[in-house]
Amino acid sequence: MLTVRVDAERLVNSRFALSRLAELSCALEVLTHPGRAPFARRWVDATRPRLDIDAVALVHALVEHESPYVPDFLVPLPAGYEPSLDAELDAVAAAAPETVREQLARTFPEKLPAAVTRVLDRGGERAVAALAAAQLRHCWDVTLADSWPALRRVLDEDVRHRAAKAARSGFATILAGLHPNLRWDGTRLERDAAVDMSFDPAPGLVLTPSVFLPWTAVWNGAPGDVLLGYPARGRGAVWSSPSPVLGTPALGARRVALLADLDTPRSTSELASRHRLSPATVSYHLNRLCTDGLVTRRQDGHSVLYAATEGARSLLATLHSARTSSR
């Protein structure tokens, strides 16, 4: 049983965060064990050939084994809502030697892999932490850097949704809805696990969504640090192809196709890439959809994100129903 002590005080001090390294850790595990996340198979097939395992031998050894535990120092607790990659990697490189030593022993209770032993022999646990940070950066550049803006939008939307729910009904309602395998009795958050582990977060939990996780995960990089990962809403839409939708003559098939792809907020450039259209063409259709009240737009950093309105969803449901009944 995995137990996290979360009473009312710790619940009040809990927060959300986005962690690039948490997502990278999950992504690397999925590359090694694709059966854990069949919804990401297209990403796995496209990404596997690009990653040279020999270039990241240490990190690969730490995540590729069958054990459910991966060293927590690879995923430090985010200091803010979205720390930079540099800040997270600096925290990995600065992991305390005793922490690295204990977590390596927990990961490999019988024998350390050769890739780990080689680094330990050259420079000890500090060398393991430093090289892990360098190889994680390489993994990030090869596997997630290009897709991070799209992934981040899904993660950020998940947090927005849950934060809005918490504002309406309280933060306690969030815990029960993260995943069916979690149980919270007001003082403890529990999940069935192969080993018994207990955590005491101080001052509270940090929750992070993931597009790769099929279930919840816990990272405990240092005493008192508890990062709880959970599957993000809409994660399956990240790599899915746009679905064909039959539109009305007035709205047009192309405009309906774009509208149907906006259940997850997307930018003009992302839509252009997914639908193989020019950004100018997509921008034209989005402006018309905005004018018709079917799409909303909001600024997100340097990007503008578009999302379907409730009226648009109702329209798409009507079109789908009409198409089904005509068959």
Side-chain angles (χ1 to χ4, degrees):
M1 182 74 70
L2 185 151
T3 303
V4 182
R5 302 190 184 283
V6 187
D7 54 17
E9 181 179 354
R10 286 173 174 166
L11 189 62
V12 168
N13 288 304
S14 296
R15 60 185 174 90
F16 287 98
L18 303 185
S19 168
R20 288 169 172 81
L21 289 190
E23 198 67 320
L24 179 60
S25 177
C26 296
L28 293 176
E29 289 189 59
V30 167
L31 281 178
T32 304
H33 308 286
R36 295 180 184 178
F39 47 83
R41 189 71 209 205
R42 291 181 62 207
W43 175 83
V44 170
D45 291 342
T47 305
R48 259 184 169 175
R50 300 204 304 263
L51 185 61
D52 180 3
I53 299 302
D54 291 337
V56 292
L58 174 63
V59 166
H60 184 255
L62 296 177
V63 303
E64 62 86 24
H65 53 85
E66 291 296 333
S67 169
Y69 179 74
V70 171
D72 289 320
F73 75 89
L74 298 177
V75 182
L77 194 76
Y81 178 67
E82 187 184 357
S84 67
L85 178 64
D86 286 345
E88 291 193 278
L89 291 173
D90 287 346
V92 173
E98 58 271 20
T99 297
V100 176
R101 186 181 311 116
E102 186 274 330
Q103 292 179 7
L104 288 178
R106 191 192 312 177
T107 307
F108 308 105
E110 296 183 359
K111 182 180 180 181
L112 290 172
V116 178
T117 302
R118 283 195 298 270
V119 182
L120 285 171
D121 290 343
R122 288 200 304 266
E125 287 80 6
R126 292 188 187 280
V128 170
L131 184 59
Q135 291 188 2
L136 285 171
R137 181 181 293 280
H138 178 76
C139 289
W140 173 268
D141 291 341
V142 173
T143 65
L144 289 186
D146 291 341
S147 55
W148 177 247
L151 303 186
R152 183 196 177 280
R153 282 194 284 275
V154 173
L155 303 179
D156 196 49
E157 284 301 316
D158 176 276
V159 172
R160 287 173 181 271
H161 170 83
R162 296 181 195 277
K165 183 178 180 181
R168 294 192 302 268
S169 53
F171 206 91
T173 61
I174 299 298
L175 295 182
L178 292 178
H179 195 271
N181 70 1
L182 286 179
R183 301 177 297 277
W184 185 61
D185 64 4
T187 60
R188 295 178 303 176
L189 189 65
E190 294 182 335
R191 191 198 76 186
D192 292 334
V195 295
D196 289 331
M197 300 183 71
S198 182
F199 304 100
D200 288 290
L205 275 174
V206 179
L207 306 173
T208 186
S210 168
V211 299
F212 291 100
L213 277 176
W215 44 67
T216 54
V218 174
W219 292 277
N220 177 222
D225 291 352
V226 179
L227 179 64
L228 177 65
Y230 63 89
R233 298 171 69 254
R235 68 182 189 276
V238 175
W239 300 283
S240 63
S241 299
S243 301
V245 181
L246 180 64
T248 64
L251 195 56
R254 180 170 290 174
R255 208 166 292 169
V256 172
L258 291 170
L259 191 60
D261 207 19
L262 288 175
D263 193 46
T264 296
R266 304 187 192 278
S267 66
T268 299
S269 59
E270 186 179 355
L271 286 168
S273 174
R274 287 172 62 82
H275 292 264
R276 299 183 180 182
L277 299 171
S278 71
T281 298
V282 172
S283 181
Y284 168 77
H285 289 302
L286 289 175
N287 285 332
R288 293 294 300 272
L289 290 168
C290 285
T291 300
D292 293 338
L294 297 174
V295 164
T296 61
R297 67 183 119 202
R298 64 176 173 83
Q299 194 74 31
D300 182 59
H302 297 295
S303 299
V304 176
L305 300 184
Y306 296 84
T309 64
E310 288 301 323
R313 294 189 181 94
S314 297
L315 174 61
L316 290 171
T318 300
L319 292 174
H320 177 74
S321 177
R323 181 185 183 187
T324 302
S325 62
S326 66
R327 288 175 178 174

